[in-house]
Amino acid sequence: MEQNNNLWSLIEQRLEASPDSTAFIEGGRAITVAQFHAQCSQALAWLQAQGVRRGDRVAVWLVNRTEWLALLFALARLGAVLVSVNTRYRSDEVSHILGKSGARLLVCQPGFRKIDFADILRGIATDALPALEGIVVVDAGDYTAGTLLGRPIARFPALDGVTSADSALAADSSDPGEAVILFTTSGTTKGPKLVMHPQRTLVDHARRCARAYGLDQPDAVMLAMLPFCGVFGLNGVLAAFAAGAPAVLMDAFDGEAAADLAQRHRVTHTFGSDEMYQRIAEAVKGEQPFPAARFFGFGAFTSSFGEYARRAWSRGIPLVGLYGSSEVLALFSGQPLELPLDARLEGGGRPVAAPLAQVRVRDTESGELLPPGRSGELEIRAPSNFLGYFNDPQATADVVLPDGFFRTGDLGHLRDDGTFVYEARMGDAIRLGGFLVNPVEIEAVLKRFDSVVDAQVVAIEIEGRMRVVAFVVPSPGNVPVEADLIAQIAGQTASFKVPARIWFVDRYPVTQSSNGVKTQRNKLRDMAIERLA
């Protein structure tokens, strides 16, 4: 079958190759390709019955489940747009996304663990969402209300997975170049922007990832433990589906449960945050806990993971650094397995779309493009680049250059072998003594001391110039003296990297994004300013 870049083509290819093969494992139940095709067809018929048309936006606020994916494929076939809503969002964020996207329908569930979706919605003013016509509830029960936010509540049908004939479906006339999904950025000081991607980037990227990461190899099995509402989670499960590898779905992440599923299903591949892998590694004992493992890719969202990752490799857990973003898609690149261990554990790597994908580095002060080894802002032009920010041409123009390169806002450098290294967000990088310094360098020095469990470094203005300050989690029962620790650091690093102050804390402020837990350095800066004041 000739390949095309409509999402539905991924189903058609799987149907032609092996309709009875396992597409997903959900709640211990295997769902075949034919059954998933039937689910997507049922979702498509239901959306049509609701009057959803080409160009309509439908917000999906669900945990990981096959209904999420079925809605994506069905909306794509209609030429409509899925608005992805993070299940960790609350009233202000949900209201912002629904309002900004102009979503016509919202699909959610009554609740999940400690999340009461209906109660969160009640915190939104009824007149704040003029475009929203109705709310759709999956798993609606006898006590589900008839209205919410002054809108009628419809019940999403149970997708039974009974196979149906493809001949009943109208031809797929959707445009693979039009937006099919809106992802949210992880903004902290402003409402999140909505990142537009068309079907062609999702499909093309899924196929490239399938090959690049070996998901198309015999007996590959993927553990989908990241939320589908973010690019990291969705790109991984689409890559597995495109490759023909079964995907084991987790509705929400738990370290012990993830370790159990990986062992029970002989998982070969998974993708997650560094914090997730730390919890998985702590949940299992002994050597070689995952004998089937081939590629466990991770995004580096904290600075304290290096030692964990090296210990993981010594136990046969093959952790490999990745790079991606909502704008260029996750799994954009991964470090080659033939590199030395420390290089494998850095973010970045080789783009899956190489040589079509181009990465360059620009000096933020002079504007010149930099050679390998010198740090600056990463700029990317690739087949997976986004269409722009929805209804925000100014924000798009601010980050997309005239030659099509996307300004990532990330600090990094090129290697001589054509790969690249992600170092930090530009907002986290520190200009000290005329040099652009990655705070991880200073944190690594601090963590050499036995009295330090973890360290986070930020820069603030002290007496008219930028100075480094540090927040340290001390070893239990071994809290160092601030002046002594500063003196020890001074003997091991350049003077402009020595912290002016060190504060000892139990934990750091973090945010729960769709891609994992991230340390909030902006809040650390605020804490430092308050403490000095």
Side-chain angles (χ1 to χ4, degrees), residues 185 193 195 323-329 358 360 377-382 385-386 389 395-396 398-401 403-410 425:
T185 59
K193 296 187 288 290
V195 179
Y323 178 81
S325 72
S326 297
E327 290 85 354
V328 300
L329 296 182
Q358 298 171 281
R360 65 191 187 191
E377 183 177 13
L378 297 171
E379 297 178 352
I380 291 173
R381 183 172 64 190
N385 277 37
F386 71 141
Y389 298 116
T396 303
D398 289 343
V399 296
V400 179
L401 298 171
D403 58 1
F405 276 82
F406 166 62
R407 296 179 54 204
T408 65
D410 290 331
R425 288 292 295 165

PDB file of all heavy atoms in Angstrom, residues 185 193 195 323-329 358 360 377-382 385-386 389 395-396 398-401 403-410 425:
ATOM      1  N   THR A 185       1.953  24.499  25.373  1.00  0.00           N
ATOM      2  CA  THR A 185       3.309  24.679  25.863  1.00  0.00           C
ATOM      3  C   THR A 185       3.261  24.711  27.389  1.00  0.00           C
ATOM      4  O   THR A 185       2.201  24.895  27.990  1.00  0.00           O
ATOM      5  CB  THR A 185       3.922  25.989  25.365  1.00  0.00           C
ATOM      6  OG1 THR A 185       3.083  27.074  25.816  1.00  0.00           O
ATOM      7  CG2 THR A 185       3.993  26.021  23.849  1.00  0.00           C
ATOM      8  N   LYS A 193       0.654  28.605  25.327  1.00  0.00           N
ATOM      9  CA  LYS A 193       0.335  28.805  23.914  1.00  0.00           C
ATOM     10  C   LYS A 193      -0.137  27.465  23.342  1.00  0.00           C
ATOM     11  O   LYS A 193       0.153  26.395  23.879  1.00  0.00           O
ATOM     12  CB  LYS A 193       1.566  29.314  23.161  1.00  0.00           C
ATOM     13  CG  LYS A 193       2.029  30.695  23.625  1.00  0.00           C
ATOM     14  CD  LYS A 193       3.133  31.248  22.744  1.00  0.00           C
ATOM     15  CE  LYS A 193       4.453  30.531  22.954  1.00  0.00           C
ATOM     16  NZ  LYS A 193       5.057  30.817  24.267  1.00  0.00           N
ATOM     17  N   VAL A 195       0.135  24.939  20.314  1.00  0.00           N
ATOM     18  CA  VAL A 195       1.048  24.575  19.235  1.00  0.00           C
ATOM     19  C   VAL A 195       0.310  23.724  18.206  1.00  0.00           C
ATOM     20  O   VAL A 195      -0.228  22.662  18.531  1.00  0.00           O
ATOM     21  CB  VAL A 195       2.251  23.787  19.793  1.00  0.00           C
ATOM     22  CG1 VAL A 195       3.204  23.392  18.674  1.00  0.00           C
ATOM     23  CG2 VAL A 195       2.972  24.605  20.856  1.00  0.00           C
ATOM     24  N   TYR A 323      15.884  14.443  22.888  1.00  0.00           N
ATOM     25  CA  TYR A 323      15.555  15.873  22.812  1.00  0.00           C
ATOM     26  C   TYR A 323      14.239  16.009  22.067  1.00  0.00           C
ATOM     27  O   TYR A 323      13.922  15.218  21.162  1.00  0.00           O
ATOM     28  CB  TYR A 323      16.636  16.672  22.073  1.00  0.00           C
ATOM     29  CG  TYR A 323      16.269  18.140  21.946  1.00  0.00           C
ATOM     30  CD1 TYR A 323      16.468  19.013  23.007  1.00  0.00           C
ATOM     31  CD2 TYR A 323      15.675  18.633  20.792  1.00  0.00           C
ATOM     32  CE1 TYR A 323      16.103  20.357  22.915  1.00  0.00           C
ATOM     33  CE2 TYR A 323      15.304  19.968  20.686  1.00  0.00           C
ATOM     34  CZ  TYR A 323      15.521  20.821  21.756  1.00  0.00           C
ATOM     35  OH  TYR A 323      15.138  22.140  21.668  1.00  0.00           O
ATOM     36  N   GLY A 324      13.488  17.028  22.426  1.00  0.00           N
ATOM     37  CA  GLY A 324      12.259  17.332  21.712  1.00  0.00           C
ATOM     38  C   GLY A 324      11.568  18.514  22.350  1.00  0.00           C
ATOM     39  O   GLY A 324      11.981  19.023  23.394  1.00  0.00           O
ATOM     40  N   SER A 325      10.504  18.966  21.712  1.00  0.00           N
ATOM     41  CA  SER A 325       9.679  20.050  22.250  1.00  0.00           C
ATOM     42  C   SER A 325       8.330  19.968  21.564  1.00  0.00           C
ATOM     43  O   SER A 325       8.159  19.255  20.567  1.00  0.00           O
ATOM     44  CB  SER A 325      10.326  21.416  21.984  1.00  0.00           C
ATOM     45  OG  SER A 325      10.237  21.754  20.611  1.00  0.00           O
ATOM     46  N   SER A 326       7.375  20.709  22.091  1.00  0.00           N
ATOM     47  CA  SER A 326       6.054  20.723  21.458  1.00  0.00           C
ATOM     48  C   SER A 326       6.149  21.218  20.018  1.00  0.00           C
ATOM     49  O   SER A 326       5.409  20.766  19.145  1.00  0.00           O
ATOM     50  CB  SER A 326       5.096  21.615  22.252  1.00  0.00           C
ATOM     51  OG  SER A 326       4.896  21.111  23.555  1.00  0.00           O
ATOM     52  N   GLU A 327       7.071  22.139  19.770  1.00  0.00           N
ATOM     53  CA  GLU A 327       7.163  22.764  18.443  1.00  0.00           C
ATOM     54  C   GLU A 327       7.834  21.882  17.392  1.00  0.00           C
ATOM     55  O   GLU A 327       7.536  22.000  16.193  1.00  0.00           O
ATOM     56  CB  GLU A 327       7.909  24.100  18.539  1.00  0.00           C
ATOM     57  CG  GLU A 327       7.142  25.192  19.256  1.00  0.00           C
ATOM     58  CD  GLU A 327       7.288  25.168  20.777  1.00  0.00           C
ATOM     59  OE1 GLU A 327       7.907  24.206  21.304  1.00  0.00           O
ATOM     60  OE2 GLU A 327       6.803  26.089  21.448  1.00  0.00           O
ATOM     61  N   VAL A 328       8.760  21.008  17.797  1.00  0.00           N
ATOM     62  CA  VAL A 328       9.436  20.143  16.819  1.00  0.00           C
ATOM     63  C   VAL A 328       9.133  18.669  17.061  1.00  0.00           C
ATOM     64  O   VAL A 328       9.685  17.798  16.403  1.00  0.00           O
ATOM     65  CB  VAL A 328      10.966  20.370  16.818  1.00  0.00           C
ATOM     66  CG1 VAL A 328      11.299  21.807  16.479  1.00  0.00           C
ATOM     67  CG2 VAL A 328      11.596  19.959  18.143  1.00  0.00           C
ATOM     68  N   LEU A 329       8.232  18.395  17.994  1.00  0.00           N
ATOM     69  CA  LEU A 329       7.809  17.072  18.439  1.00  0.00           C
ATOM     70  C   LEU A 329       8.858  16.423  19.336  1.00  0.00           C
ATOM     71  O   LEU A 329      10.052  16.696  19.234  1.00  0.00           O
ATOM     72  CB  LEU A 329       7.462  16.155  17.268  1.00  0.00           C
ATOM     73  CG  LEU A 329       6.252  16.616  16.433  1.00  0.00           C
ATOM     74  CD1 LEU A 329       5.966  15.609  15.328  1.00  0.00           C
ATOM     75  CD2 LEU A 329       5.011  16.825  17.289  1.00  0.00           C
ATOM     76  N   GLN A 358      17.843  19.824  10.252  1.00  0.00           N
ATOM     77  CA  GLN A 358      19.054  20.621  10.440  1.00  0.00           C
ATOM     78  C   GLN A 358      19.028  21.287  11.816  1.00  0.00           C
ATOM     79  O   GLN A 358      18.011  21.856  12.216  1.00  0.00           O
ATOM     80  CB  GLN A 358      19.170  21.686   9.354  1.00  0.00           C
ATOM     81  CG  GLN A 358      19.286  21.109   7.944  1.00  0.00           C
ATOM     82  CD  GLN A 358      19.181  22.204   6.899  1.00  0.00           C
ATOM     83  OE1 GLN A 358      18.100  22.668   6.568  1.00  0.00           O
ATOM     84  NE2 GLN A 358      20.325  22.634   6.388  1.00  0.00           N
ATOM     85  N   ARG A 360      21.364  24.004  14.125  1.00  0.00           N
ATOM     86  CA  ARG A 360      22.487  24.930  14.152  1.00  0.00           C
ATOM     87  C   ARG A 360      22.475  25.660  15.491  1.00  0.00           C
ATOM     88  O   ARG A 360      21.475  25.644  16.222  1.00  0.00           O
ATOM     89  CB  ARG A 360      22.426  25.909  12.989  1.00  0.00           C
ATOM     90  CG  ARG A 360      21.240  26.856  13.014  1.00  0.00           C
ATOM     91  CD  ARG A 360      21.104  27.608  11.678  1.00  0.00           C
ATOM     92  NE  ARG A 360      20.058  28.632  11.758  1.00  0.00           N
ATOM     93  CZ  ARG A 360      19.577  29.287  10.700  1.00  0.00           C
ATOM     94  NH1 ARG A 360      20.043  29.023   9.476  1.00  0.00           N
ATOM     95  NH2 ARG A 360      18.636  30.214  10.854  1.00  0.00           N
ATOM     96  N   GLU A 377      22.198  29.329  21.301  1.00  0.00           N
ATOM     97  CA  GLU A 377      20.809  28.889  21.177  1.00  0.00           C
ATOM     98  C   GLU A 377      20.656  27.903  20.032  1.00  0.00           C
ATOM     99  O   GLU A 377      21.130  28.139  18.916  1.00  0.00           O
ATOM    100  CB  GLU A 377      19.882  30.076  20.935  1.00  0.00           C
ATOM    101  CG  GLU A 377      18.414  29.655  20.884  1.00  0.00           C
ATOM    102  CD  GLU A 377      17.450  30.822  20.711  1.00  0.00           C
ATOM    103  OE1 GLU A 377      17.926  31.943  20.378  1.00  0.00           O
ATOM    104  OE2 GLU A 377      16.242  30.620  20.903  1.00  0.00           O
ATOM    105  N   LEU A 378      19.976  26.783  20.301  1.00  0.00           N
ATOM    106  CA  LEU A 378      19.697  25.784  19.270  1.00  0.00           C
ATOM    107  C   LEU A 378      18.593  26.289  18.348  1.00  0.00           C
ATOM    108  O   LEU A 378      17.567  26.797  18.804  1.00  0.00           O
ATOM    109  CB  LEU A 378      19.259  24.468  19.907  1.00  0.00           C
ATOM    110  CG  LEU A 378      20.275  23.745  20.794  1.00  0.00           C
ATOM    111  CD1 LEU A 378      19.601  22.580  21.513  1.00  0.00           C
ATOM    112  CD2 LEU A 378      21.462  23.248  19.976  1.00  0.00           C
ATOM    113  N   GLU A 379      18.808  26.148  17.049  1.00  0.00           N
ATOM    114  CA  GLU A 379      17.794  26.472  16.043  1.00  0.00           C
ATOM    115  C   GLU A 379      17.573  25.233  15.183  1.00  0.00           C
ATOM    116  O   GLU A 379      18.539  24.556  14.811  1.00  0.00           O
ATOM    117  CB  GLU A 379      18.236  27.656  15.182  1.00  0.00           C
ATOM    118  CG  GLU A 379      18.409  28.951  15.976  1.00  0.00           C
ATOM    119  CD  GLU A 379      18.903  30.108  15.130  1.00  0.00           C
ATOM    120  OE1 GLU A 379      19.255  29.893  13.947  1.00  0.00           O
ATOM    121  OE2 GLU A 379      18.937  31.243  15.650  1.00  0.00           O
ATOM    122  N   ILE A 380      16.315  24.944  14.866  1.00  0.00           N
ATOM    123  CA  ILE A 380      15.977  23.681  14.201  1.00  0.00           C
ATOM    124  C   ILE A 380      15.042  23.924  13.015  1.00  0.00           C
ATOM    125  O   ILE A 380      14.062  24.666  13.117  1.00  0.00           O
ATOM    126  CB  ILE A 380      15.292  22.707  15.191  1.00  0.00           C
ATOM    127  CG1 ILE A 380      16.296  22.239  16.243  1.00  0.00           C
ATOM    128  CG2 ILE A 380      14.680  21.523  14.468  1.00  0.00           C
ATOM    129  CD1 ILE A 380      15.693  21.410  17.347  1.00  0.00           C
ATOM    130  N   ARG A 381      15.370  23.256  11.907  1.00  0.00           N
ATOM    131  CA  ARG A 381      14.463  23.185  10.760  1.00  0.00           C
ATOM    132  C   ARG A 381      14.363  21.715  10.369  1.00  0.00           C
ATOM    133  O   ARG A 381      15.373  21.069  10.059  1.00  0.00           O
ATOM    134  CB  ARG A 381      14.978  24.016   9.586  1.00  0.00           C
ATOM    135  CG  ARG A 381      14.028  24.038   8.385  1.00  0.00           C
ATOM    136  CD  ARG A 381      14.482  25.025   7.334  1.00  0.00           C
ATOM    137  NE  ARG A 381      15.762  24.659   6.752  1.00  0.00           N
ATOM    138  CZ  ARG A 381      16.478  25.437   5.942  1.00  0.00           C
ATOM    139  NH1 ARG A 381      16.029  26.658   5.651  1.00  0.00           N
ATOM    140  NH2 ARG A 381      17.639  25.038   5.464  1.00  0.00           N
ATOM    141  N   ALA A 382      13.141  21.171  10.424  1.00  0.00           N
ATOM    142  CA  ALA A 382      12.961  19.734  10.217  1.00  0.00           C
ATOM    143  C   ALA A 382      11.557  19.450   9.715  1.00  0.00           C
ATOM    144  O   ALA A 382      10.660  20.299   9.837  1.00  0.00           O
ATOM    145  CB  ALA A 382      13.205  18.988  11.533  1.00  0.00           C
ATOM    146  N   ASN A 385       8.694  20.274  12.195  1.00  0.00           N
ATOM    147  CA  ASN A 385       8.414  21.615  12.725  1.00  0.00           C
ATOM    148  C   ASN A 385       6.914  21.931  12.704  1.00  0.00           C
ATOM    149  O   ASN A 385       6.199  21.521  11.791  1.00  0.00           O
ATOM    150  CB  ASN A 385       9.169  22.679  11.925  1.00  0.00           C
ATOM    151  CG  ASN A 385      10.604  22.846  12.381  1.00  0.00           C
ATOM    152  OD1 ASN A 385      11.259  21.874  12.740  1.00  0.00           O
ATOM    153  ND2 ASN A 385      11.097  24.069  12.334  1.00  0.00           N
ATOM    154  N   PHE A 386       6.474  22.668  13.704  1.00  0.00           N
ATOM    155  CA  PHE A 386       5.054  22.987  13.858  1.00  0.00           C
ATOM    156  C   PHE A 386       4.588  23.997  12.822  1.00  0.00           C
ATOM    157  O   PHE A 386       5.389  24.634  12.133  1.00  0.00           O
ATOM    158  CB  PHE A 386       4.769  23.475  15.274  1.00  0.00           C
ATOM    159  CG  PHE A 386       5.311  24.856  15.608  1.00  0.00           C
ATOM    160  CD1 PHE A 386       4.571  25.735  16.385  1.00  0.00           C
ATOM    161  CD2 PHE A 386       6.564  25.280  15.176  1.00  0.00           C
ATOM    162  CE1 PHE A 386       5.037  26.998  16.708  1.00  0.00           C
ATOM    163  CE2 PHE A 386       7.046  26.546  15.501  1.00  0.00           C
ATOM    164  CZ  PHE A 386       6.278  27.402  16.270  1.00  0.00           C
ATOM    165  N   TYR A 389       1.719  28.953  16.285  1.00  0.00           N
ATOM    166  CA  TYR A 389       0.863  29.006  17.468  1.00  0.00           C
ATOM    167  C   TYR A 389      -0.539  29.440  17.040  1.00  0.00           C
ATOM    168  O   TYR A 389      -0.701  30.422  16.309  1.00  0.00           O
ATOM    169  CB  TYR A 389       1.427  29.984  18.498  1.00  0.00           C
ATOM    170  CG  TYR A 389       2.784  29.594  19.020  1.00  0.00           C
ATOM    171  CD1 TYR A 389       3.902  30.398  18.790  1.00  0.00           C
ATOM    172  CD2 TYR A 389       2.970  28.414  19.741  1.00  0.00           C
ATOM    173  CE1 TYR A 389       5.148  30.047  19.265  1.00  0.00           C
ATOM    174  CE2 TYR A 389       4.225  28.053  20.224  1.00  0.00           C
ATOM    175  CZ  TYR A 389       5.303  28.872  19.979  1.00  0.00           C
ATOM    176  OH  TYR A 389       6.553  28.515  20.449  1.00  0.00           O
ATOM    177  N   ALA A 395       3.444  35.680  18.279  1.00  0.00           N
ATOM    178  CA  ALA A 395       4.263  34.705  18.993  1.00  0.00           C
ATOM    179  C   ALA A 395       4.970  33.777  18.017  1.00  0.00           C
ATOM    180  O   ALA A 395       6.126  33.397  18.224  1.00  0.00           O
ATOM    181  CB  ALA A 395       3.399  33.899  19.959  1.00  0.00           C
ATOM    182  N   THR A 396       4.292  33.424  16.921  1.00  0.00           N
ATOM    183  CA  THR A 396       4.914  32.573  15.898  1.00  0.00           C
ATOM    184  C   THR A 396       6.079  33.299  15.238  1.00  0.00           C
ATOM    185  O   THR A 396       7.166  32.734  15.070  1.00  0.00           O
ATOM    186  CB  THR A 396       3.871  32.170  14.837  1.00  0.00           C
ATOM    187  OG1 THR A 396       2.774  31.507  15.467  1.00  0.00           O
ATOM    188  CG2 THR A 396       4.495  31.259  13.794  1.00  0.00           C
ATOM    189  N   ASP A 398       7.883  35.554  16.418  1.00  0.00           N
ATOM    190  CA  ASP A 398       8.987  35.756  17.358  1.00  0.00           C
ATOM    191  C   ASP A 398       9.952  34.580  17.389  1.00  0.00           C
ATOM    192  O   ASP A 398      11.117  34.741  17.775  1.00  0.00           O
ATOM    193  CB  ASP A 398       8.434  35.972  18.776  1.00  0.00           C
ATOM    194  CG  ASP A 398       7.752  37.323  18.946  1.00  0.00           C
ATOM    195  OD1 ASP A 398       7.978  38.207  18.094  1.00  0.00           O
ATOM    196  OD2 ASP A 398       6.989  37.472  19.915  1.00  0.00           O
ATOM    197  N   VAL A 399       9.485  33.377  17.009  1.00  0.00           N
ATOM    198  CA  VAL A 399      10.347  32.190  17.145  1.00  0.00           C
ATOM    199  C   VAL A 399      10.661  31.503  15.828  1.00  0.00           C
ATOM    200  O   VAL A 399      11.547  30.643  15.777  1.00  0.00           O
ATOM    201  CB  VAL A 399       9.717  31.164  18.116  1.00  0.00           C
ATOM    202  CG1 VAL A 399       9.615  31.756  19.513  1.00  0.00           C
ATOM    203  CG2 VAL A 399       8.367  30.666  17.628  1.00  0.00           C
ATOM    204  N   VAL A 400       9.945  31.841  14.758  1.00  0.00           N
ATOM    205  CA  VAL A 400      10.219  31.225  13.456  1.00  0.00           C
ATOM    206  C   VAL A 400      10.950  32.241  12.585  1.00  0.00           C
ATOM    207  O   VAL A 400      10.411  33.305  12.258  1.00  0.00           O
ATOM    208  CB  VAL A 400       8.931  30.746  12.768  1.00  0.00           C
ATOM    209  CG1 VAL A 400       9.263  30.146  11.403  1.00  0.00           C
ATOM    210  CG2 VAL A 400       8.214  29.707  13.637  1.00  0.00           C
ATOM    211  N   LEU A 401      12.177  31.916  12.197  1.00  0.00           N
ATOM    212  CA  LEU A 401      13.006  32.820  11.414  1.00  0.00           C
ATOM    213  C   LEU A 401      12.600  32.790   9.941  1.00  0.00           C
ATOM    214  O   LEU A 401      11.939  31.844   9.497  1.00  0.00           O
ATOM    215  CB  LEU A 401      14.472  32.421  11.567  1.00  0.00           C
ATOM    216  CG  LEU A 401      15.012  32.520  13.007  1.00  0.00           C
ATOM    217  CD1 LEU A 401      16.394  31.891  13.117  1.00  0.00           C
ATOM    218  CD2 LEU A 401      15.042  33.973  13.461  1.00  0.00           C
ATOM    219  N   ASP A 403      14.078  31.956   7.309  1.00  0.00           N
ATOM    220  CA  ASP A 403      14.505  30.770   6.555  1.00  0.00           C
ATOM    221  C   ASP A 403      13.874  29.484   7.101  1.00  0.00           C
ATOM    222  O   ASP A 403      14.258  28.383   6.709  1.00  0.00           O
ATOM    223  CB  ASP A 403      16.029  30.641   6.556  1.00  0.00           C
ATOM    224  CG  ASP A 403      16.631  30.556   7.944  1.00  0.00           C
ATOM    225  OD1 ASP A 403      15.866  30.578   8.928  1.00  0.00           O
ATOM    226  OD2 ASP A 403      17.871  30.472   8.054  1.00  0.00           O
ATOM    227  N   GLY A 404      12.884  29.609   8.004  1.00  0.00           N
ATOM    228  CA  GLY A 404      12.147  28.445   8.468  1.00  0.00           C
ATOM    229  C   GLY A 404      12.686  27.779   9.710  1.00  0.00           C
ATOM    230  O   GLY A 404      12.073  26.836  10.221  1.00  0.00           O
ATOM    231  N   PHE A 405      13.813  28.241  10.231  1.00  0.00           N
ATOM    232  CA  PHE A 405      14.357  27.648  11.458  1.00  0.00           C
ATOM    233  C   PHE A 405      13.556  28.123  12.670  1.00  0.00           C
ATOM    234  O   PHE A 405      13.153  29.281  12.751  1.00  0.00           O
ATOM    235  CB  PHE A 405      15.825  28.028  11.640  1.00  0.00           C
ATOM    236  CG  PHE A 405      16.778  27.147  10.887  1.00  0.00           C
ATOM    237  CD1 PHE A 405      17.021  27.359   9.544  1.00  0.00           C
ATOM    238  CD2 PHE A 405      17.423  26.096  11.529  1.00  0.00           C
ATOM    239  CE1 PHE A 405      17.906  26.548   8.838  1.00  0.00           C
ATOM    240  CE2 PHE A 405      18.313  25.279  10.841  1.00  0.00           C
ATOM    241  CZ  PHE A 405      18.555  25.500   9.485  1.00  0.00           C
ATOM    242  N   PHE A 406      13.366  27.197  13.611  1.00  0.00           N
ATOM    243  CA  PHE A 406      12.671  27.495  14.863  1.00  0.00           C
ATOM    244  C   PHE A 406      13.688  27.815  15.944  1.00  0.00           C
ATOM    245  O   PHE A 406      14.614  27.031  16.196  1.00  0.00           O
ATOM    246  CB  PHE A 406      11.817  26.289  15.279  1.00  0.00           C
ATOM    247  CG  PHE A 406      11.325  26.334  16.702  1.00  0.00           C
ATOM    248  CD1 PHE A 406      10.487  27.354  17.132  1.00  0.00           C
ATOM    249  CD2 PHE A 406      11.700  25.354  17.612  1.00  0.00           C
ATOM    250  CE1 PHE A 406      10.034  27.395  18.446  1.00  0.00           C
ATOM    251  CE2 PHE A 406      11.255  25.390  18.929  1.00  0.00           C
ATOM    252  CZ  PHE A 406      10.423  26.412  19.349  1.00  0.00           C
ATOM    253  N   ARG A 407      13.513  28.962  16.588  1.00  0.00           N
ATOM    254  CA  ARG A 407      14.362  29.334  17.727  1.00  0.00           C
ATOM    255  C   ARG A 407      13.837  28.600  18.958  1.00  0.00           C
ATOM    256  O   ARG A 407      12.763  28.911  19.460  1.00  0.00           O
ATOM    257  CB  ARG A 407      14.327  30.842  17.949  1.00  0.00           C
ATOM    258  CG  ARG A 407      14.908  31.673  16.810  1.00  0.00           C
ATOM    259  CD  ARG A 407      14.792  33.149  17.115  1.00  0.00           C
ATOM    260  NE  ARG A 407      15.389  33.437  18.413  1.00  0.00           N
ATOM    261  CZ  ARG A 407      15.077  34.492  19.170  1.00  0.00           C
ATOM    262  NH1 ARG A 407      14.158  35.331  18.763  1.00  0.00           N
ATOM    263  NH2 ARG A 407      15.670  34.670  20.327  1.00  0.00           N
ATOM    264  N   THR A 408      14.589  27.636  19.443  1.00  0.00           N
ATOM    265  CA  THR A 408      14.091  26.746  20.487  1.00  0.00           C
ATOM    266  C   THR A 408      14.060  27.373  21.874  1.00  0.00           C
ATOM    267  O   THR A 408      13.317  26.916  22.744  1.00  0.00           O
ATOM    268  CB  THR A 408      14.955  25.481  20.566  1.00  0.00           C
ATOM    269  OG1 THR A 408      16.285  25.848  20.987  1.00  0.00           O
ATOM    270  CG2 THR A 408      15.004  24.763  19.226  1.00  0.00           C
ATOM    271  N   GLY A 409      14.906  28.381  22.101  1.00  0.00           N
ATOM    272  CA  GLY A 409      15.040  28.896  23.460  1.00  0.00           C
ATOM    273  C   GLY A 409      15.869  27.983  24.340  1.00  0.00           C
ATOM    274  O   GLY A 409      15.909  28.149  25.562  1.00  0.00           O
ATOM    275  N   ASP A 410      16.568  27.031  23.724  1.00  0.00           N
ATOM    276  CA  ASP A 410      17.390  26.074  24.457  1.00  0.00           C
ATOM    277  C   ASP A 410      18.875  26.327  24.194  1.00  0.00           C
ATOM    278  O   ASP A 410      19.274  26.664  23.080  1.00  0.00           O
ATOM    279  CB  ASP A 410      17.055  24.632  24.049  1.00  0.00           C
ATOM    280  CG  ASP A 410      15.691  24.205  24.527  1.00  0.00           C
ATOM    281  OD1 ASP A 410      15.248  24.719  25.567  1.00  0.00           O
ATOM    282  OD2 ASP A 410      15.062  23.352  23.872  1.00  0.00           O
ATOM    283  N   ARG A 425      17.621  25.231  29.359  1.00  0.00           N
ATOM    284  CA  ARG A 425      16.800  26.295  28.802  1.00  0.00           C
ATOM    285  C   ARG A 425      17.600  27.596  28.841  1.00  0.00           C
ATOM    286  O   ARG A 425      18.364  27.837  29.775  1.00  0.00           O
ATOM    287  CB  ARG A 425      15.514  26.462  29.614  1.00  0.00           C
ATOM    288  CG  ARG A 425      14.511  25.352  29.436  1.00  0.00           C
ATOM    289  CD  ARG A 425      13.914  25.329  28.044  1.00  0.00           C
ATOM    290  NE  ARG A 425      13.121  26.530  27.758  1.00  0.00           N
ATOM    291  CZ  ARG A 425      12.733  26.877  26.523  1.00  0.00           C
ATOM    292  NH1 ARG A 425      13.094  26.158  25.478  1.00  0.00           N
ATOM    293  NH2 ARG A 425      12.005  27.970  26.337  1.00  0.00           N
TER     294      ARG A 425
END
